[in-house]
Amino acid sequence: MNRLTGQRALVTGGGRGIGAAIVRRLVAEGASVAINYRSDAVAAEAFAAELAASGEAGNAGRSAR
């Protein structure tokens, strides 16, 4: 069992860059992750689709301004 199995995380700015790296690490440790973004919906949705295609969990959602 991974350290974070059964845990949930919300990563703000998780659709690209450092946030995406954090998402990958959390998922690798077993966490279910929600990806939050402010303006780059295309990048966030593409990253969530990439995670889903690789068998990893990922959900993207836009933050309120």
Side-chain angles (χ1 to χ4, degrees):
M1 183 189 306
N2 293 328
R3 278 185 335 146
L4 300 176
T5 298
Q7 300 296 310
R8 290 179 247 162
L10 169 63
V11 179
T12 59
R16 59 191 180 127
I18 294 170
I22 292 168
V23 168
R24 287 185 191 282
R25 180 62 188 258
L26 290 169
V27 169
E29 291 289 337
S32 296
V33 179
I35 301 165
N36 183 268
Y37 64 92
R38 180 173 171 196
S39 60
D40 197 347
V42 173
E45 294 293 341
F47 183 55
E50 177 187 327
L51 289 175
S54 68
E56 302 174 82
N59 293 312
R62 187 170 186 276
S63 63
R65 290 186 181 202

